[in-house]
Amino acid sequence: MRYENKFELVVDLSPEVDLNWYILKLSLQPIVENAIQHGLRSQGRGTVGLTIEKKDEMLLVTIYDDGIGMSKEKVQQLAETLEEPSSPSKNVGLKNVHERIRTVYGAEYGVSISSREHIGTSILLLLPIVEDPYKISDSENA
């Protein structure tokens, strides 16, 4: 492990979440990596959290850190970059995850960001519940 004993991972899995539900490959890794690289690395240590819960018929996956956080302006800039399909971005991993979620599941799903300077950052992935990866939704077959 590259960051041995420097970072703690906290996982909170809601009891109603079925571990057999699917999420897109490489949805979590770039965001966890961003939390370490941009949020915690300069501090030398910290916590990355992963919370997974069910709300209605959606899966809410939150990746958060207790790192340096971002200004309101930076969060707004990132949010605008995520929503602008043609905009070039330094935030390739985050934008890629957001666009893949929207492409596969629809515009009502995706990534949202919240952050406070010196407090930390939280990234929410809003996903449909997928029990069969080859059948995205029943409504497509109706």
Side-chain angles (χ1 to χ4, degrees), residues 6-7 26-27 30 37 43 50 53 56 60-62 75 79-80 85 89 94 99 106 111 119 123 127 137:
K6 292 185 178 184
F7 306 112
L26 295 174
S27 302
Q37 283 292 106
Q43 294 180 169
L50 173 66
E53 54 193 327
D56 303 321
L60 281 64
V61 179
T62 306
V75 171
E80 290 170 5
S89 174
L94 190 62
E99 289 179 353
V111 173
I119 304 291
I123 306 293
L127 304 162
S137 108

Side-chain angles (χ1 to χ4, degrees), residues 12 26 42-44 46 52 59-60 68-69 76-77 93 96-97 106 109 113 126 141:
D12 182 16
L26 295 174
S42 65
Q43 294 180 169
I52 305 174
L59 194 61
L60 281 64
I68 60 172
Q76 181 63 36
Q77 178 188 9
N96 183 330
V97 170
Y109 302 103
I113 307 162
L126 185 60
N141 300 321

Side-chain angles (χ1 to χ4, degrees), residues 29-89:
Q29 184 271 335
I31 298 171
V32 170
E33 187 175 299
N34 280 353
I36 293 169
Q37 283 292 106
H38 302 290
L40 301 177
R41 195 174 74 175
S42 65
Q43 294 180 169
R45 58 185 340 101
T47 302
V48 174
L50 173 66
T51 302
I52 305 174
E53 54 193 327
K54 178 182 184 251
K55 181 178 181 190
D56 303 321
E57 291 305 309
M58 293 183 285
L59 194 61
L60 281 64
V61 179
T62 306
I63 299 103
Y64 62 90
D65 67 67
D66 60 359
I68 60 172
M70 293 181 278
S71 67
K72 288 180 183 178
E73 295 79 20
K74 178 65 176 171
V75 171
Q76 181 63 36
Q77 178 188 9
L78 276 173
E80 290 170 5
T81 300
L82 289 179
E83 295 306 320
E84 181 58 48
S86 62
S87 72
S89 174

